[in-house]
Each structure stands twice: as structure tokens, then as C-alpha cells.
Amino acid sequence: MTGYLLRRCLGAVVVMWAVATLVFFMLRIVPGDPLSAMLFDAADPAAADELRIKFGLDQPLPVQYAKWFWLVLQGDLGNSIYGSRIPVSQILIEAAPRTFSLAVLAFVVSVLIAIPAGLISALKRGQPIDHGVTFIAFLGLSMPDFWLGILLIILFAASLGWLPAIGYEPLSNGFWPWLSHLILPAIAAGTAFSAIIARMVRSSMLEVLKTDYVRVAAARGLTPWRVVMGYAFPNALIPVITVMGIAFGLLMAAAVVVETVFAIKGLGRILIEGILNRDYPVVQGAILAVSFIFVFVNLLVDVLYVAIDPRIRIE
Amino acid sequence: MTDSAVTPGDPPPRRASVIRMILRDRRALAGAVFLAVLTVAAVFAPLLSPYDPNAMDYMMLDPPHAAHPLGVDDLGRDLLSRIVHGARVSLFVGLVTVAIALVAGVALGVAAGYYRGWADTLIMRYIDLQWAFPNILIAVYLVAVFGTGLANVIVAISLAYLDDFARIARGMTLSVKEEQYVTAARALGLSDLRIMLRHILPNITAPVIVLATVSVSNAILAEAVLSFLGLGVSANTPTWGLILSEARSFVSRAWWLGIFPGLAIMLTVLSINFLGDALRDVLDVRESRDIA
């Protein structure tokens, strides 16, 4: 098992290296020269050359790459090219908790809804409640996340006034201010994920309920509750966790988009604003940060999978 | 990550019977009707839409009424006309990007699977890398590199969806390559290109067609997301994502601005997915990865 985990960790490191390298070279090779934007479109060629030398842009690309990579390894992602030239790492450190809060809350809310919904749907197969769950899941899957966010704002913020429409409050300002600002974004970002998980729980449970060991457990006279909770559900969870790992990417991508709807200055918003401002150090840093979360979560799912399914451990 | 496990089944049924079988599915029929109406509206938008989509009027934020069935936006522009014009961009981008992703992806995938070797390894390493991230995010990354505008958005979305096609085409090619008719074709001395075009390609079409259908709806969504984020086609072309983005500050006072453009996106995506589901059943394609 140690070997497996080591291999996976190494794989994650290689993916991060590949992303960093691709981002570096693509931003520099693609025509349109993002660097001229970085040089404030200097009209005076001499001044431009001076800036080029100052930023080390006169050196060959591989040398620039090596220097850049060495700095990135030390956590130095450069400075924003705008305003007070704040270090990119500082911008990302401020934004990360917002995205993290949103993603975790979206995950928790969707799982809390999806698992009972999927279970009931499987146990009451073919009954009205099953059709209801299936229909809602289908709807949730077809709704663009940013539109769902707007609908939630219209209903719960504008019409009913129950929750704030936009913004973010850090957890240090109190639990309720933090939570109330994140409930609507979390629902918007988590709905598609929730629908996928609910469908997966349903089909996986239906599969497991047909197995011999569940029939034996029922034949031994165990209560239906114990049969479901003790035998069927834990086994049905294994494929669900795999799908969670794959679908978590969807949830994160949705979080990146939904941040814009709710004006939350998280990593996604930082990335988008960076692109709009052509602030390339920020874009580079934000892509690396968002990608890092992806790679890390994928790794986490693999580890979790080993912990849950003993069969993988033996291999 | 799961591989797309696709079983090469019987040869796909004839075109006419495929269409008949799909239309027997009520949801697919509804989807087809909606898409037909939408396509006509999009193609003839300048003739059909009641107003110029960019013409401004003094009736700002007017709710839906007889003269403006879907209401008016903050600059006094007719929402129905804007949505109808938005359909042009959505359908055009959706179809063009998938066409590019399909042709390039299938070509790469078939070549990689047929020749194997270092080119295959190189292509698949990149495909695997892209596979680790959701397509929408890849599209955002690529717009970050290429910049905004219609051509760049099309390139970004095409590249973002290319990996799906390359993967499925390579997987199918690997299994079809072992069939006896390919060995026979090779024994007859046919060229590699001919074998790929005449003997491999026709036998991998079914899953590719199904993937293409689903991808069109995803590409339409991707374009809407990019436009919504301000990374889209342009600020002067009405697109569904842009209309929603502009509506954001006004939805508390003007619900119609938030509801109708989103409804257009959802109904379009839903219609295409219904068609895709029916197509999947008819062509008998089993895919383990039905989330994209």
C-alpha cells in the first residue's frame, strides 16, 4: 500500500510540474505577447528595453523558466502588475479561505441532501417519491450553476430577504455571518454534484440490494434498518466515493464560476479578474492555485478509496 | 480515473431508421421540436426578432407586456430580440467547436491508437493531463492564454473538448485494430491511411456520435459561462451568458432579466441531452462515464 500511495504522490507532483510548465510556456509563446501588456505598452523602446532587462525578459526562455521555477518552488509567484504591486502569493492566501469555505460547504450540503435522497429513492423504487427525486436530480443536472445562483438571489435575497445576496464574511466575524453569506453560493455550486451523487447512491444501492449477502442478512431476521445500514449501504458507498472524486472537479469548477455571481473574491474571481486585467502574474498564480486544489483532491480521493476498500490494499 | 469502456456492437442502424427510432422517444421528440424552432429563430433572427437587439428605448426595465413579451432591460433593449440573437451565437459556437474538437480529436486518437509508439505516449500524456481538470476550467485557462473574442473562444472551447474525443477514438481504435478484417486489410497491402479511414473509422462512429451530441450541449454551456464571466465573444454581441451577466445588478428589481435567458440555456441543453440519451439507446452505446 505504501508503494501505491508513493506512486500516486509522485504522479501528483508530476502533474503539478506539467501544469506549471505548460502555463509558463503557453503564456509566453502564444502570439499577442502578453508581456508587452505587462510592460505597460511602453511607447519608448529604450524604456521598454530597460524594463525587459529589469524583469530578465532579455534572457533565453529556458533560463527565464529555470529562474521562475526556482522562485515558484520558494513560494514567490511575483507581484501583481497593477496598483501597489501586491505579491501574488499574498493575494492567493487571502482568497484561498473563501474558495475553500465555499467548496467545503457546497460539498457538505450536497452530500447531506444526496445520500438520504438516493437511499430513499432506491428503497422506494418506482414509487412517487422515487420519481420525484429522479426528476429533481435531472433538473439540477440541467441547470447552469451561475443561473441557479441568480435564481436563488431573486428568490431568497431579493424577494424574501432571508439571506444576503452577495459578499463574504470571514469565519472570524462569527459563524452565522460566515454561513449566511455562503448558503446560497454553496447550493448553486453543489446542486449538479448533489444530483450526480444522488443518482449514483440510488443505482449502487439497487445493485447491492440484489446481492446474496443482503438476502442472507434479511433471511437471518435482521431488521430492515440493520440490513440497509449494516450491510447494504456501506458496500454501496464504494462506487459512490469514486464518483465523488470525479465529480468533485465539477463542484470546484462551479465554485470558480459561482464566486462571480455572488461577488466573492475567491481564487476563481481572482483568476477571472486577472484575465480581464491582463495581470499575468496573477493569472499564472491563480491557475497554479486552482490546479493544486484539483490535484490534491484527486490524491485525497485515492487515499480515501484505499482506506475504505480493503481489496485495493491487498493488491 | 475511469476509462471510457465502450463495447463495439453491431454496425449502427441505417440513418432513416435511426431518426425514426429517436422520434419514437417522447422526450427526444420534444427536444427535437424545440431545437428545430430555435434553429429557425436563430438563422432568421434579423427577420423574426421584433426589434434590433441593441436598439435602446426610454422604457427601461419594463416588465413583460404585449409590445415586449419578455420585458425590457436596463438600457431599454427588447429582451426577446436579444435572446433570439443570442441563440445564433450559442448554436454557432456549440456546433463549430464540437466539429473542430471531433475532427481533430478523432484524428489524433485514431492515429495514436493505430501507430502506438512515442507519439501515442506523448499525445496520451497531454490528454491525461487535461482529463484531470473539468472542461470548463480548461476553457477558462485557454482564454487566459489566447484572450477573448469569438475566434479565441472557439479555439479555447474546441481544445477543451478535444481530449474527450481523442480518448474515446484511441480506446476504440485499440480494440478495433485487433479485429480480423483489419488484419485482412493489412494482408491485402492496403495503406495505413486507407485502413484507418475505411476500416477503423466506420466502426468507431457510434460512440463518437453520442459523445458529440452531449458535447454540443456542454460547449453551449461553456460559451455561456465564458460570456457570463466577461471572457466571451464581445460586449456588443448579445449572448445568453452576457445577457445574464448584465442582468446581475438588476435582478432584484427586474426578475424577467434573470429568468428568461437562463431558461433559454436550460431548455436548449435539456433538449440536446434528451436527443443524446435517445441516440445512445438507439446506437446501443454503453459508457461508464456519463458525467462530463
Side-chain angles (χ1 to χ4, degrees):
Chain A
M1 185 176 122
T2 334
Y4 170 78
L5 287 183
L6 264 176
R7 261 203 320 278
R8 288 294 298 118
C9 286
L10 200 69
V13 172
V14 170
V15 169
M16 273 317 293
W17 167 77
V19 170
T21 305
L22 270 178
V23 167
F24 178 88
F25 283 104
M26 284 184 88
L27 281 178
R28 279 157 188 80
I29 286 172
V30 161
D33 188 13
L35 290 170
S36 49
M38 251 173 88
L39 295 171
F40 310 105
D41 300 317
D44 176 9
D49 281 345
E50 205 172 294
L51 280 170
R52 261 179 227 284
I53 292 168
K54 188 183 163 204
F55 286 109
L57 299 176
D58 54 330
Q59 287 163 332
L61 259 188
V63 176
Q64 287 185 43
Y65 171 68
K67 284 188 173 167
W68 175 77
F69 199 74
W70 179 238
L71 287 174
V72 167
L73 283 181
Q74 298 166 42
D76 181 354
L77 293 163
N79 297 321
S80 163
I81 60 173
Y82 284 100
S84 43
R85 300 184 52 80
I86 311 170
V88 172
S89 50
Q90 193 186 323
I91 298 177
L92 296 178
I93 286 168
E94 273 170 32
R98 299 174 188 153
T99 304
F100 187 72
S101 299
L102 174 56
V104 168
L105 200 67
F107 180 80
V108 171
V109 171
S110 7
V111 170
L112 283 182
I113 294 171
I115 288 186
L119 267 178
I120 292 171
S121 201
L123 295 175
K124 306 272 177 194
R125 184 185 191 179
Q127 293 177 26
I129 190 159
D130 177 27
H131 294 308
V133 168
T134 307
F135 179 74
I136 293 173
F138 194 76
L139 212 62
L141 219 50
S142 328
M143 253 187 192
D145 39 42
F146 60 98
W147 184 47
L148 182 60
I150 291 175
L151 293 184
L152 291 171
I153 290 179
I154 294 180
L155 184 61
F156 292 103
S159 305
L160 297 170
W162 289 354
L163 292 162
I166 56 165
Y168 175 82
E169 287 286 332
L171 196 50
S172 53
N173 288 3
F175 182 70
W176 176 245
W178 174 79
L179 188 67
S180 65
H181 279 87
L182 284 176
I183 292 177
L184 297 183
I187 294 173
T191 296
F193 178 77
S194 194
I196 291 170
I197 302 302
R199 293 212 307 197
M200 195 63 210
V201 169
R202 179 180 182 273
S203 65
S204 176
M205 271 301 283
L206 288 178
E207 198 79 11
V208 170
L209 287 175
K210 276 188 287 190
T211 57
D212 285 340
Y213 58 82
V214 167
R215 222 174 306 151
V216 170
R220 271 170 58 207
L222 298 182
T223 58
W225 174 259
R226 282 209 53 194
V227 173
V228 170
M229 284 304 159
Y231 294 84
F233 182 59
N235 284 299
L237 260 185
I238 293 172
V240 172
I241 298 220
T242 318
V243 171
M244 271 185 196
I246 302 169
F248 189 82
L250 276 185
L251 187 145
M252 273 303 299
V256 164
V257 175
V258 162
E259 280 176 3
T260 294
V261 181
F262 291 91
I264 296 170
K265 246 183 157 229
L267 294 173
R269 194 58 215 151
I270 296 291
L271 173 63
I272 308 300
E273 279 178 4
I275 299 173
L276 291 174
N277 294 335
R278 308 199 101 211
D279 193 343
Y280 283 87
V282 170
V283 172
Q284 234 165 28
I287 289 182
L288 285 184
V290 172
S291 306
F292 178 78
I293 296 177
F294 267 98
V295 172
F296 181 74
V297 169
N298 278 338
L299 189 64
L300 205 67
V301 170
D302 283 346
V303 174
L304 203 65
Y305 205 50
V306 176
I308 284 183
D309 192 347
R311 284 171 300 186
I312 296 178
R313 232 173 295 166
I314 295 162
E315 286 165 21
Chain B
M1 292 284 149
T2 48
D3 242 354
S4 304
V6 183
T7 41
D10 303 322
R14 280 162 191 273
R15 202 172 299 151
S17 74
V18 165
I19 293 172
R20 217 174 309 128
M21 281 163 87
I22 289 170
L23 296 185
R24 218 175 289 156
D25 182 330
R26 251 186 310 159
R27 295 190 313 175
L29 182 66
V33 170
F34 179 81
L35 289 175
V37 172
L38 190 73
T39 309
V40 170
V43 170
F44 299 105
L47 299 174
L48 290 177
S49 66
Y51 302 90
D52 178 335
N54 289 320
M56 300 181 210
D57 204 335
Y58 289 111
M59 304 176 294
M60 285 170 255
L61 293 181
D62 244 20
H65 56 88
H68 298 278
L70 300 184
V72 175
D73 75 0
D74 57 300
L75 297 176
R77 296 173 296 192
D78 179 55
L79 188 58
L80 176 64
S81 305
R82 288 181 72 72
I83 291 179
V84 169
H85 275 83
R88 310 186 93 175
V89 180
S90 287
L91 293 180
F92 178 73
V93 171
L95 292 173
V96 170
T97 53
V98 170
I100 297 173
L102 187 152
V103 172
V106 169
L108 272 181
V110 170
Y114 186 80
Y115 288 114
R116 305 301 306 271
W118 63 268
D120 177 36
T121 313
L122 199 69
I123 293 172
M124 288 319 288
R125 281 286 166 279
Y126 176 73
I127 301 286
D128 281 339
L129 183 67
Q130 201 172 310
W131 185 260
F133 300 94
N135 288 337
I136 296 261
L137 203 63
I138 296 285
V140 172
Y141 284 5
L142 290 171
V143 168
V145 172
F146 298 126
T148 55
L150 182 63
N152 290 336
V153 164
I154 287 177
V155 171
I157 298 178
S158 309
L159 282 176
Y161 284 87
L162 191 141
D163 62 323
D164 298 354
F165 288 97
R167 238 182 134 84
I168 213 167
R170 178 179 175 273
M172 291 290 297
T173 303
L174 284 180
S175 74
V176 169
K177 208 175 79 171
E178 305 303 323
E179 299 284 338
Q180 290 195 338
Y181 54 78
V182 175
T183 317
R186 210 175 291 161
L188 284 173
L190 298 187
S191 69
D192 286 343
L193 189 66
R194 205 178 148 86
I195 293 176
M196 282 190 270
L197 287 178
R198 299 293 300 272
H199 298 275
I200 291 181
L201 207 54
N203 288 294
I204 68 171
T205 44
V208 170
I209 290 172
V210 172
L211 176 66
T213 322
V214 183
S215 299
V216 170
S217 75
N218 286 330
I220 287 177
L221 260 179
E223 187 276 323
V225 168
L226 289 178
S227 293
F228 178 78
L229 294 173
L231 308 176
V233 172
S234 93
N236 304 320
T237 316
T239 68
W240 293 340
L242 181 73
I243 301 173
L244 275 177
S245 155
E246 289 171 347
R248 217 154 27 107
S249 338
F250 305 98
V251 286
S252 51
R253 278 176 290 157
W255 55 267
W256 54 95
L257 291 179
I259 305 265
F260 295 122
L263 216 53
I265 301 175
M266 191 174 95
L267 289 178
T268 307
V269 168
L270 215 54
S271 300
I272 298 173
N273 287 347
F274 282 154
L275 274 181
D277 281 350
L279 207 57
R280 190 189 309 250
D281 292 343
V282 171
L283 296 178
D284 191 27
V285 176
R286 269 156 293 177
E287 249 187 298
S288 61
R289 182 187 183 246
D290 57 354
I291 46 165

